[in-house]
Amino acid sequence: QVQLVESGGGLVQPGGSLRLSCAASGSIFSRYKMYWYRQAPGKQRELVASITSGGSTNYADSVKGRFTISRDNANNTVSLQMNNLKPDDTAVYYCYGKYFPYEYWGQGTQVTVSS
C-alpha cells in the first residue's frame, strides 16, 4: 500500500509561482511513474505532467515552459514547480503514481490563481 499526500497549494496572483509536493510512503517509490493531474470545476480531470522512474518528463501543451516536474527518490517525493500561473490553472491538483498493477491517487490540493 502506498499513500500519496500533496501539499503546497494555495491562492496566488496571475504571474505568480507555486511549488506543489507529493510525499509517498512505501519502499519502492523509485519504480513508480509519477504524474500530476488537475481538475477544474465542471471539467474532466486532465494530465498536467509525468515523470518516469528514470527521470524522463512529459507535459501538457498548456503548461510547457511554465511547469517543471521533478522527483527525489531518496526522499520519496515528486514536485511540480509552477511559474507564470494563469487563472486557467485554477484547479485541484492530484498526485498519481503507477507501477503495474498498482496505482494510487493523492487527496488533491487546491490551486487558485486570481487577482
Side-chain angles (χ1 to χ4, degrees):
Q1 184 77 12
V2 172
Q3 285 191 318
L4 302 176
V5 179
E6 300 99 333
S7 62
L11 173 64
V12 63
Q13 292 187 343
S17 298
L18 280 176
R19 185 177 181 86
L20 305 183
S21 293
C22 173
S25 63
S27 60
I28 59 170
F29 168 80
S30 62
R31 302 181 190 179
Y32 279 73
K33 185 173 181 179
M34 300 300 298
Y35 306 76
W36 285 98
Y37 280 80
R38 67 186 181 188
Q39 187 166 20
K43 295 187 177 181
Q44 289 190 329
R45 192 170 295 189
E46 64 172 355
L47 176 64
V48 175
S50 65
I51 185 166
T52 67
S53 58
S56 296
T57 58
N58 271 296
Y59 299 91
D61 288 344
S62 59
V63 307
K64 279 181 182 176
R66 301 188 298 122
F67 290 12
T68 302
I69 188 172
S70 60
R71 68 189 299 160
D72 180 349
N73 290 334
N75 290 300
N76 283 12
T77 58
V78 60
S79 298
L80 185 69
Q81 177 66 42
M82 306 186 295
N83 298 328
N84 191 21
L85 283 159
K86 304 175 181 181
D88 283 350
D89 296 317
T90 295
V92 178
Y93 283 71
Y94 297 91
C95 179
Y96 169 67
K98 186 172 183 179
Y99 175 59
F100 184 82
Y102 309 104
E103 53 185 90
Y104 301 97
W105 287 94
Q107 83 289 352
T109 185
Q110 176 70 46
V111 171
T112 303
V113 185
S114 175
S115 55

